Amino acid sequence: MDFSDFLVRKCPETAMYIPNFITSEEEQIILSHIERTPKPKWTQLLNRRLINYGGIPHVNGMLAEEIPLWLQTYVEKINNLNIFETQKANHVLVNEYRPGQGIMPHTDGPLFFPTISTISLGSHTILEFSKRDVDEKDANSTITINADKRKVLFKLILEPRSLLILKDSLYSDYLHSISEVVEDTLCDRICNYENCESTYKMGDCLKRSTRISLTIRNVPKTTKMKLKFF
């Protein structure tokens, strides 16, 4: 696929933003499946809840599990883009963000192929980026940093049904986060306005509703053996 029309040219390399990657009907199908997910399947964190499909990534290798057919449809849609080079997506992280919920600045770390693809459902959000310190790049795990210590350099608005792909320096050299707010005031640090489906004005205030994100990635190291966790 030629991504030249979807490149976000006003931020460091490389972000690709595709509005309406899925249809409204597909969005409702996914949301209905997620709504019916049994509560024990969810992992409850302090500020949000999530589900791992495909297995749980681990430094010793991910014990691969089958991804449900309704979700595998969208994994294959991502695989058809060939964004993981010779690899295929084998893991989906479902995050639920209610208004006022977010995620601290972090990197996805070395457990994944260095490309992130995220489908947004139900609501917009604003993804914020800050620079990663040089001494942090030697870490062997996902990094999470206190948001108060980070200067936000630029932002992306993620619309419902959109696909965001992050790779290259945006994967390795920057932290990304979502502020814990109930509404977003649009500003000049958002650098993908021209890629969006909707037309926005500076100063517009967008109220958040519940957002579901599907982060579809490749975990290179997998195993069929039971893992020992220490």
Side-chain angles (χ1 to χ4, degrees), residues 117-136:
S117 66
T118 302
I119 300 173
S120 294
L121 310 160
S123 176
H124 83 282
T125 198
I126 303 291
L127 196 62
E128 303 179 339
F129 292 83
S130 51
K131 198 76 167 100
R132 183 176 174 187
D133 291 341
V134 174
D135 58 349
E136 295 166 355

Side-chain angles (χ1 to χ4, degrees), residues 1-223:
M1 178 175 177
D2 182 5
F3 288 101
S4 57
D5 289 340
F6 304 108
L7 279 172
V8 182
R9 303 181 188 278
K10 295 182 180 179
C11 70
E13 295 184 334
T14 300
M16 293 168 282
Y17 181 81
I18 304 177
N20 290 320
F21 181 71
I22 62 172
T23 66
S24 296
E25 291 75 17
E26 289 175 312
E27 178 184 39
Q28 291 307 311
I29 290 170
I30 298 170
L31 290 174
S32 66
H33 278 286
I34 291 172
E35 187 177 341
R36 297 196 302 269
T37 303
K39 192 172 181 179
K41 183 70 176 175
W42 291 91
T43 298
Q44 184 66 55
L45 305 181
L46 285 175
N47 61 342
R48 69 187 190 286
R49 61 178 187 163
L50 56 84
I51 310 172
N52 281 282
Y53 285 110
I56 299 177
H58 188 268
V59 66
N60 292 333
M62 181 177 74
L63 181 60
E65 299 174 357
E66 191 171 349
I67 295 174
L69 186 60
W70 64 266
L71 192 53
Q72 186 64 36
T73 298
Y74 302 96
V75 172
E76 290 305 319
K77 192 168 184 177
I78 294 295
N79 282 332
N80 289 338
L81 302 178
N82 296 316
I83 60 174
F84 303 109
E85 298 176 359
T86 60
Q87 305 301 311
K88 298 292 185 182
N90 58 2
H91 181 262
V92 182
L93 181 64
V94 177
N95 272 299
E96 179 190 71
Y97 296 94
R98 297 184 180 182
Q101 294 180 337
I103 187 169
M104 294 181 69
H106 68 285
T107 68
D108 282 33
L111 297 183
F112 302 98
F113 185 92
T115 297
I116 311 167
S117 66
T118 302
I119 300 173
S120 294
L121 310 160
S123 176
H124 83 282
T125 198
I126 303 291
L127 196 62
E128 303 179 339
F129 292 83
S130 51
K131 198 76 167 100
R132 183 176 174 187
D133 291 341
V134 174
D135 58 349
E136 295 166 355
K137 296 180 185 179
D138 296 327
N140 291 318
S141 60
T142 298
I143 298 169
T144 302
I145 302 296
N146 190 326
D148 294 337
K149 298 180 179 180
R150 293 287 158 182
K151 178 182 179 183
V152 175
L153 300 176
F154 55 92
K155 307 179 183 183
L156 299 173
I157 182 169
L158 309 185
E159 301 168 293
R161 299 175 296 284
S162 68
L163 172 68
L164 175 68
I165 300 169
L166 298 178
K167 56 186 292 190
D168 302 328
S169 68
L170 279 183
Y171 188 95
S172 60
D173 298 340
Y174 290 85
L175 306 171
H176 53 277
S177 60
I178 296 172
S179 292
E180 295 181 329
V181 298
V182 298
E183 59 186 23
D184 297 286
T185 301
L186 303 187
C187 67
D188 58 4
R189 282 186 290 175
I190 296 174
C191 50
N192 66 320
Y193 286 126
E194 63 187 32
N195 303 85
C196 291
E197 172 69 16
S198 298
T199 301
Y200 301 100
K201 293 186 297 184
M202 214 68 63
D204 279 353
C205 188
L206 304 183
K207 292 187 181 296
R208 294 185 187 177
S209 54
T210 298
R211 172 178 174 262
I212 298 291
S213 65
L214 307 180
T215 300
I216 301 173
R217 293 174 288 195
N218 169 262
V219 178
K221 189 175 182 181
T222 61
T223 178

